[in-house]
Amino acid sequence: MLQPVLTLLDNALAKHGETDSTLDNSGLLALAQGYARAVTPEQRDQLAAGIATRLSVDEAGVILRAAAAVRTAVPGIVLHAKANGDTTAEIARELDMTDSYVRRIAREHRLVSWRLDLYDSEAGPGWQPYEAGDDIIPATRTEPDLAEHILAVAGQGPREHRARVLIWNGTDEQPDTAAIYTHKQSPTT
């Protein structure tokens, strides 16, 4: 479960002109492991005092931005881990959360896959795939909300051709007939 986090950190470092050696030099993995082993507030305070003298402002900024991105991504991280067969207890342990909090995240969000098709487009006659992906839907949003968002950001294709968005529960694309929601739209231009 640590690998996706490191990929996010690598991407954050790249966006800010940092290199992989900065991540290695900052000892981020050792820091995270030390923090996990520190069970008392005093131990965590000692750890913090030690890194305060070793991290530059730039390195700390990258780590803080990465931490903020990870916090925002937690629902997706939890749902993808569950889809990959990880148990609630395993996820909670890795993310340093309680089982009940992980269950709440899973209850308040859904992982769905989707596909945007165009009709009689450059891709060929009939319905042809245009884009596909997966998304996290919080309990406050619906499949129609997601379909409208997909169409809004999809670009010129849906404006010039009939379009449909199919949405399935889970990460795997399924037969069209198994879609939990289908939205069709006529060309808008």
Side-chain angles (χ1 to χ4, degrees):
M1 300 233 350
L2 186 58
Q3 190 57 39
V5 173
L6 293 178
T7 301
L8 284 171
L9 290 171
D10 290 342
N11 291 341
L13 288 167
K15 281 186 178 180
H16 291 88
E18 302 291 332
T19 65
D20 287 350
S21 65
T22 302
L23 180 59
D24 293 340
N25 290 342
S26 72
L28 185 59
L29 182 57
L31 171 62
Q33 291 168 338
Y35 190 83
R37 285 190 302 268
V39 293
T40 66
E42 293 80 19
Q43 290 172 328
R44 289 186 173 172
D45 287 346
Q46 286 176 337
L47 183 65
I51 62 168
T53 60
R54 292 194 328 253
L55 284 180
S56 70
V57 171
D58 291 342
E59 290 171 325
V62 168
I63 292 168
L64 288 172
R65 286 186 292 277
V70 170
R71 273 191 299 279
T72 302
V74 163
I77 292 167
V78 166
L79 293 177
H80 280 97
K82 286 185 69 63
N84 289 332
D86 291 352
T87 67
T88 302
E90 291 168 334
I91 297 166
R93 184 178 56 252
E94 285 296 320
L95 296 179
D96 196 23
M97 298 175 173
T98 64
D99 284 357
S100 62
Y101 186 64
V102 171
R103 283 192 302 275
R104 183 175 134 209
I105 290 170
R107 189 174 54 250
E108 293 178 352
H109 298 83
R110 286 185 304 127
L111 179 61
V112 297
S113 57
W114 57 267
R115 188 182 73 226
L116 169 60
D117 297 337
L118 299 182
Y119 191 79
D120 290 342
S121 66
E122 296 82 21
W127 290 110
Q128 299 295 323
Y130 184 68
E131 290 183 23
D134 59 59
D135 271 290
I136 305 302
I137 300 180
T140 57
R141 294 192 62 216
T142 64
E143 290 85 358
D145 294 333
L146 176 60
E148 288 178 20
H149 174 74
I150 292 166
L151 288 165
V153 300
Q156 198 65 20
R159 288 192 285 271
E160 295 177 353
H161 303 279
R162 283 180 56 202
R164 74 176 178 186
V165 177
L166 298 127
I167 299 174
W168 299 271
N169 277 323
T171 58
D172 296 324
E173 187 176 311
Q174 302 162 33
D176 293 358
T177 56
I180 59 170
Y181 181 75
T182 302
H183 176 86
K184 292 183 180 179
Q185 171 179 298
S186 297
T188 57
T189 56

